[in-house]
Amino acid sequence: MNNYSVNSLFSIEGKTAIITGGSGLLGQEISRFLEENGAIPVNFDINAAHPVDICDPDNVGSEAKEVIDNFGSIDVLIHAAAMNPKIDGDGKNPQFAPYEQFSLDLWDQEIRVNLTGAYICTRQIAPLMMKQKSGIIIFIASDLGIIAPQNHIYPDGEFKDIAYVTSKSGMLGLMRCWASYLSPHNIRVNALVPGGIDNGLPRDFVKKNASLNMMNRMANKHEYNGAIAFLASDASSYMTGSSLIIDGGRTAW
């Protein structure tokens, strides 16, 4: 039995990690945490200083090869990109529309970014990991990927984005497929299933959302860093095809 110290077991030092959606709320926090702990974060985001379109296979493929050329390997791929609207309560955001009125164009756009983009990035990057015979892939899903949204917590006439919820459910199936497919190549694939993050949301909504979990509060963005360290390190060396749920106990009720 190997005698690892806690620091070495959870070490991510020197690992090159691609983060899709690295310009978003959680993506920025993950990138900051990785860099502070010695990893090399690479942002794949259309809004990055060096834009990458995760829905364009050629763009993803060429950028991934550039990462290999620059850093020698791609050790971790984290799927954090998502179209996830922020509650404002003005009733004008089409992403909160009643489901029978939800735009098909918007549906296609969200599924493409949230789910198809994750497939495209894995499809383009997995062969590079297979060649190096190692890698870790982390899908950022959502507690709403395994439970239904409780629409009564949203402002009157607004409903949790149905395309977002559907895409996050799909990510869990996508994760399990890739885990099974890539396991012979020493590549582990898992999902982080987070609860909602309080990002300056309306106080009434935060109070209602918080009441749905056992801890009676929403998460702070830094509270998922420990899970990222676990999933991206040797601490999770016998884990693949699984979901790590961190939601304040919401899905346990």
Coordinates of all heavy atoms in Angstrom, one line a residue, residues 86-87 197-203 206:
K86 N -28.9 34.4 -15.3 CA -29.0 34.9 -13.9 C -30.4 35.5 -13.7 O -30.9 36.3 -14.5 CB -27.9 35.9 -13.6 CG -27.8 36.5 -12.2 CD -26.7 37.4 -12.1 CE -26.6 38.0 -10.6 NZ -25.4 38.9 -10.5
I87 N -31.0 35.2 -12.5 CA -32.3 35.7 -12.2 C -32.2 37.2 -12.0 O -31.3 37.7 -11.3 CB -32.8 35.1 -10.9 CG1 -33.3 33.6 -11.1 CG2 -33.9 35.9 -10.2 CD1 -34.6 33.6 -11.8
I197 N -25.1 28.6 -6.8 CA -24.2 29.6 -6.2 C -24.8 31.0 -6.1 O -25.5 31.5 -7.0 CB -22.9 29.7 -7.1 CG1 -22.2 28.4 -7.2 CG2 -22.0 30.8 -6.6 CD1 -21.1 28.4 -8.2
D198 N -24.7 31.6 -4.9 CA -25.2 32.9 -4.7 C -24.2 33.9 -5.3 O -23.1 34.1 -4.8 CB -25.4 33.2 -3.2 CG -26.0 34.6 -2.9 OD1 -26.3 35.3 -3.9 OD2 -26.1 34.9 -1.7
N199 N -24.6 34.5 -6.4 CA -23.8 35.4 -7.2 C -24.5 36.8 -7.2 O -24.7 37.3 -8.3 CB -23.5 34.9 -8.6 CG -22.6 35.8 -9.4 OD1 -21.8 36.5 -8.8 ND2 -22.9 35.8 -10.7
G200 N -24.8 37.3 -6.1 CA -25.5 38.6 -6.0 C -26.9 38.5 -6.5 O -27.4 39.5 -7.1
L201 N -27.6 37.4 -6.3 CA -28.9 37.2 -6.8 C -29.9 38.0 -5.9 O -29.6 38.3 -4.8 CB -29.3 35.7 -6.8 CG -28.4 34.8 -7.7 CD1 -28.6 33.4 -7.3 CD2 -28.7 35.1 -9.1
P202 N -31.1 38.2 -6.4 CA -32.2 38.8 -5.6 C -32.3 38.1 -4.2 O -32.4 36.9 -4.2 CB -33.4 38.8 -6.4 CG -32.9 38.7 -7.8 CD -31.6 37.9 -7.7
R203 N -32.4 38.9 -3.1 CA -32.5 38.2 -1.8 C -33.7 37.3 -1.6 O -33.6 36.3 -0.9 CB -32.5 39.3 -0.7 CG -31.2 40.1 -0.6 CD -30.0 39.2 -0.4 NE -29.3 38.8 -1.6 CZ -28.3 37.9 -1.6 NH1 -27.9 37.3 -0.5 NH2 -27.8 37.5 -2.7
V206 N -32.8 34.0 -3.2 CA -31.8 33.3 -2.5 C -32.4 32.7 -1.3 O -32.1 31.5 -0.9 CB -30.7 34.3 -2.0 CG1 -29.7 33.6 -1.0 CG2 -29.9 34.8 -3.2

